[in-house]
């Protein structure tokens, strides 16, 4: 059929560029295809990692859905990198920058060709927020399709186990056969990793914002449930084009507050504190760090997810996933927030219940001899009475720092330690593994913020520390870089201002005294060279050190130089100042 939507973009652009019809004919487009509604399906399909390797099949399902509603789909791809593969070497410096590059490429795909609407597909850390940023930037109907969750390994094993296993193997305490057992079985299918890392968190944020179909986030990637979501999205996008349902026109601050509440109930990744503000900025909405802190004071943790908790994400989906959390939080959510279904959050929840969806997915848990209530708790009997995210401030972090309390020993909530300062993660990990870090140490890795080195993750360090029980309850890690959503143990990141911007972290020296009080939400330098000092004395010493401090110059590339030059602060989402 011809596209009947009001002033179809695709049909208008045909009248100004007749060459386009000929080029499409070279891809076996029929004459009748040219007059149909044109739908872009943009994925991160590729052989980069399990979260993207299966998206080609999902794109095929979305195409069927578009065809079923008489549209014409076209599939594009910009594959993403895997933070787990980029970890522990300089490749991690590209991770956050890749969010911006991918977002620009998705924008180029949508606007350089005559499309009327778009479906975006991704599973993981930077590709999901990149696509959500683009969706809110475009004046175009769009839907996000989440790539779902990987099958759990034996005993709910997942890939982070290989850090500890690898360290044991390197020391001769684990055989190669045992190491390869973990390697073969920790990622047994496609989909996002089975813990509430950044990948899983951002899928849930896409759904909580109303930008993906209800129930889609973390759907078991090894089932036909996920392929059905993809096909339904193909049908939904043509309806949204007809109805001019455009995300940037219906998304509101209330949509983002819903996402913050779901994030707290999930115990989600600290990286959401970078991604949600960057996504919101696309529509002129401000999300402050203190809003995360305020929400986490009020919203309890309702599900105990790996790595810091009990359950893998595929079982969480069988327990009802994001809709189950939203149903439990409905008294405090903004139920009238609009979504890509053309219905509100409240209407979506009612429709899922009426269709028997909760009972259907819950039925899979009988295979595990558990119930949905074992996984998703009530607000009256939560996993934790408050969320895991706390924002700390003090003379070490005047603009703030972030701690996630999952797996953090309460003994370290009120911490005083002696600083050991490193200018790179590699040297810090080397000393840690060599036994050169003792108890009561405040371990600092600095010059790793957005402008310092692209703000890489520090999962290698946190996992090394986690696997040293003798230190895990007495050593805290501090950085102006960031952490993986899989991080466990005492780790404080996003320290702002960052080192290269002249933040106090730049002028720390070994043996300075650090105090962290989680309950009071404070982070301060309380002594110099092992001796207690007043705040005034600390400020004076830092001012003297500033006069002679020379910042390290890190090897870099044109792309990273561009990112570091234009990057906003982490408190603003570390997007580009353009």
């Amino acid at each position: 059929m011809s596209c009947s939507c009001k002033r179809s973009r695709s049909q208008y652009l045909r009248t100004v560029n007749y060459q386009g019809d000929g080029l499409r004919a070279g891809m076996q487009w029929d004459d009748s295809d040219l007059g149909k509604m044109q739908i872009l399906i943009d994925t991160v399909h590729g052989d980069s990692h399990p979260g993207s390797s299966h998206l080609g099949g999902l794109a095929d399902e979305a195409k069927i859905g578009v065809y079923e509603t008489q549209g014409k789909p076209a599939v594009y791809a910009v594959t993403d990198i895997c933070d787990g593969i980029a970890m522990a070497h300089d490749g991690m410096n590209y991770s956050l920058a890749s969010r911006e590059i991918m977002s620009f490429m998705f924008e180029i795909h949508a606007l350089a060709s005559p499309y009327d609407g778009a479906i975006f597909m991704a599973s993981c850390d930077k590709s999901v927020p990149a696509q959500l940023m683009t969706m809110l930037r475009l004046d175009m109907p769009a839907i996000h399709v989440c790539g779902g969750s990987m099958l759990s390994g034996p005993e709910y094993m997942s890939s982070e186990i290989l850090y500890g296993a690898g360290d044991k193997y390197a020391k001769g305490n684990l055989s190669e056969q045992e190491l390869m057992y973990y390697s073969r079985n920790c990622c047994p299918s496609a989909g996002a990793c089975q813990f509430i890392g950044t990948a899983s968190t951002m899928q849930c944020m896409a759904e909580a914002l109303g930008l993906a179909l209800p129930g889609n986030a973390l759907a078991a990637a090894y089932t036909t449930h996920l392929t059905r979501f993809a096909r339904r999205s193909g049908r939904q996008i043509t309806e949204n084009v007809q109805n001019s349902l455009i995300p940037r026109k219906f998304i509101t601050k209330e949509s983002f507050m819903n996402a913050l509440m779901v994030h707290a109930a999930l115990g989600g990744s600290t990286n959401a504190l970078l991604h949600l503000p960057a996504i919101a900025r696309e529509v002129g909405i401000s999300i402050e760090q203190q809003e995360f802190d305020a929400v986490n004071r009020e919203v309890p943790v309702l599900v105990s997810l790996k790595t810091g908790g009990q359950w893998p994400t595929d079982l969480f989906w069988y327990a009802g996933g994001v809709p189950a959390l939203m149903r439990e939080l409905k008294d405090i959510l903004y139920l009238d927030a609009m979504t890509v279904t053309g219905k509100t959050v409240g209407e979506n929840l009612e429709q899922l219940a009426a269709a028997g969806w909760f009972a259907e997915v819950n039925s899979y848990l009988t295979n595990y001899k558990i119930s949905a209530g074992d996984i998703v708790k009530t607000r009256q009997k939560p996993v934790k009475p408050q969320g895991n995210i706390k924002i700390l401030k003090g003379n070490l972090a005047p603009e703030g720092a972030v701690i996630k309390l999952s797996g953090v020993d309460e003994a370290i909530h009120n911490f005083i330690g002696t600083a050991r300062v490193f200018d790179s993660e590699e040297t810090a990990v080397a000393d840690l593994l060599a036994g050169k870090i003792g108890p009561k140490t405040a371990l600092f890795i600095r010059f790793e913020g957005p402008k310092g080195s692209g703000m890489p993750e520090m999962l290698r360090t946190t996992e090394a520390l986690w696997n040293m029980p003798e230190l895990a309850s007495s050593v805290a890690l501090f950085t102006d870089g960031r952490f993986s959503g899989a991080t466990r143990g005492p780790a404080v990141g996003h320290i702002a201002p960052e080192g290269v911007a002249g933040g106090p972290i730049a002028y720390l020296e070994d043996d300075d005294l650090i105090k962290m009080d989680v309950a009071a939400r404070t982070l301060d330098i309380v002594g110099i060279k092992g001796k207690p000092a007043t705040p005034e004395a600390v400020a004076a010493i830092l001012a003297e050190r500033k006069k002679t401090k020379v910042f390290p110059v890190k090897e870099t590339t044109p792309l990273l130089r561009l990112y570091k030059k234009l990057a906003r602060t982490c408190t603003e989402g570390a997007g580009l100042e353009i």
Side-chain angles (χ1 to χ4, degrees):
M1 71 173 187
S2 294
C3 180
S4 60
C5 44
K6 184 178 179 180
R7 191 164 176 78
S8 160
R9 180 173 182 266
S10 63
Q11 299 311 304
Y12 166 71
L13 291 179
R14 287 182 68 202
T15 68
V16 298
N17 179 13
Y18 296 101
Q19 183 184 23
D21 284 359
L23 292 167
R24 291 181 190 82
M27 297 184 289
Q28 300 181 351
W29 284 43
D30 187 80
D31 291 353
S32 63
D33 291 334
L34 298 169
K36 294 177 180 177
M37 185 186 303
Q38 307 297 313
I39 302 299
L40 169 67
I41 301 175
D42 216 341
T43 84
V44 288
H45 175 233
D47 293 333
S48 48
H49 56 89
S52 292
S53 63
H54 64 309
L55 296 180
L58 292 188
D60 289 341
E61 291 294 329
K63 287 171 68 175
I64 293 172
V66 173
Y67 280 127
E68 286 175 343
T69 46
Q70 303 304 305
K72 180 66 174 79
V75 177
Y76 287 36
V78 179
T79 199
D80 54 346
I81 64 171
C82 175
D83 281 16
I85 294 173
M87 194 71 64
H89 60 94
D90 286 345
M92 178 51 71
N93 295 335
Y94 288 94
S95 174
L96 192 53
S98 75
R99 181 190 72 181
E100 310 303 312
I101 302 304
M102 285 188 290
S103 181
F104 289 146
M105 284 304 303
F106 298 134
E107 175 188 341
I108 290 168
H109 289 171
L111 297 184
S113 298
Y115 292 110
D116 301 306
I119 296 172
F120 293 100
M121 290 187 173
S123 307
C124 290
D125 301 39
K126 306 307 171 299
S127 51
V128 174
Q131 292 185 342
L132 300 183
M133 288 165 65
T134 303
M135 286 176 66
L136 295 191
R137 191 180 308 149
L138 298 175
D139 188 22
M140 178 184 293
I143 294 176
H144 189 268
V145 175
C146 303
S149 184
M150 183 186 291
L151 175 68
S152 300
E155 299 182 7
Y156 301 152
M157 184 194 307
S158 50
S159 62
E160 86 287 346
I161 198 171
L162 284 166
Y163 287 105
D167 290 342
K168 290 179 181 178
Y169 174 73
K171 294 176 181 178
N173 297 326
L174 194 75
S175 70
E176 182 176 0
Q177 183 177 359
E178 291 172 312
L179 179 66
M180 293 312 297
Y181 167 77
Y182 293 129
S183 295
R184 287 192 301 270
N185 291 287
C186 65
C187 297
S189 80
C193 290
Q194 314 96 316
F195 44 77
I196 192 64
T198 308
S200 296
T201 296
M202 294 312 300
Q203 287 194 37
C204 294
M205 295 300 93
E207 184 176 331
L209 285 167
L211 299 178
L213 293 180
N216 178 195
L218 304 182
Y222 46 90
T223 69
T224 56
H225 287 284
L226 184 59
T227 58
R228 292 190 193 110
F229 279 113
R231 189 178 295 195
R232 282 177 51 205
S233 294
R235 295 193 291 264
Q236 185 70 56
I237 191 61
T238 58
E239 180 179 329
N240 291 2
V241 171
Q242 294 286 0
N243 294 330
S244 297
L245 186 63
I246 298 172
R248 70 173 286 109
K249 292 183 178 178
F250 70 70
I251 204 90
T252 63
K253 181 63 178 274
E254 287 73 23
S255 306
F256 281 94
M257 295 310 297
N258 283 345
L260 264 63
M261 286 186 268
V262 170
H263 178 265
L266 279 170
S269 166
T270 56
N271 284 313
L273 278 78
L274 296 172
H275 299 318
L276 286 176
I279 295 163
R281 182 178 291 276
E282 298 290 346
V283 285
I285 294 173
S286 176
I287 304 293
E288 305 291 338
Q289 278 191 340
Q290 289 303 135
E291 293 181 272
F292 283 92
D293 189 279
V295 168
N296 276 263
R297 289 175 188 261
E298 300 298 327
V299 177
V301 178
L302 298 180
V303 58
S304 176
L305 293 173
K306 288 174 53 69
T307 57
Q310 180 178 4
W311 303 107
T313 51
D314 58 335
L315 294 196
F316 167 57
W317 185 76
Y318 291 135
V322 171
L325 289 185
M326 298 187 90
R327 186 169 60 171
E328 188 60 36
L329 297 172
K330 65 181 180 180
D331 291 344
I332 57 175
L333 290 178
Y334 295 94
L335 296 177
D336 58 351
M338 183 54 64
T339 74
V340 293
T341 65
K343 300 179 177 64
T344 66
V345 169
E347 290 170 335
N348 286 338
L349 291 176
E350 290 174 0
Q351 187 171 10
L352 286 176
W357 183 83
F358 290 102
E360 181 176 340
V361 295
N362 291 171
S363 67
Y364 281 81
L365 294 176
T366 59
N367 294 339
Y368 299 88
K369 311 226 183 298
I370 55 178
S371 70
D374 293 326
I375 298 174
V376 177
K377 303 299 184 179
T378 66
R379 287 172 63 197
Q380 291 70 37
K381 294 183 178 180
V383 175
K384 292 182 180 180
Q386 291 188 332
N388 286 320
I389 299 293
K390 313 293 181 188
I391 304 300
L392 312 178
K393 288 192 174 183
N395 66 9
L396 179 55
E399 295 177 7
V402 180
I403 185 171
K404 179 179 177 181
L405 297 183
S406 299
V408 177
D409 193 315
E410 288 193 12
I412 213 166
H413 285 196
N414 198 327
F415 169 85
I416 296 179
T418 302
R420 280 290 309 278
V421 184
F422 297 88
D423 291 346
S424 74
E425 183 182 26
E426 292 80 4
T427 53
V429 171
D431 274 19
L432 191 59
L433 294 178
K436 297 179 180 180
I437 303 297
K440 295 292 183 183
T441 297
L443 181 62
F444 278 86
I445 304 175
R446 64 185 177 188
F447 303 117
E448 300 283 15
K451 289 186 175 295
S453 58
M455 206 174 185
E457 288 183 354
M458 303 289 156
L459 183 60
R460 182 67 185 92
T461 312
T462 57
E463 280 299 299
L465 186 58
W466 178 263
N467 285 291
M468 297 177 176
E470 70 278 12
L471 298 180
S473 61
S474 67
V475 173
L477 174 61
F478 302 88
T479 181
D480 52 2
R482 61 189 177 88
F483 296 111
S484 167
T487 292
R488 300 173 285 183
V492 178
H494 303 217
I495 291 177
E498 64 174 291
V500 299
I505 191 174
Y507 309 111
L508 275 181
E509 292 183 0
D510 285 351
D511 300 324
D512 289 345
L513 299 180
I514 307 301
K515 181 177 181 180
M516 174 178 67
D517 186 335
V518 172
R521 289 167 166 77
T522 57
L523 180 60
D524 292 291
I525 307 166
V526 296
I528 301 295
K529 294 298 182 183
K531 297 181 179 179
T534 66
E536 294 77 14
V538 168
I541 292 293
L542 294 186
E544 284 299 311
R545 291 176 179 174
K546 185 175 183 179
K547 295 176 183 178
T548 57
K549 178 66 179 179
V550 178
F551 294 168
V553 177
K554 298 192 175 185
E555 292 289 333
T556 190
T557 65
L559 188 150
L560 289 177
R561 285 197 295 273
L562 178 66
Y563 176 74
K564 292 190 291 183
K565 179 180 179 179
L566 298 177
R568 294 178 181 272
T569 68
C570 63
T571 58
E572 297 178 307
L576 301 183
E577 185 76 67
I578 51 177

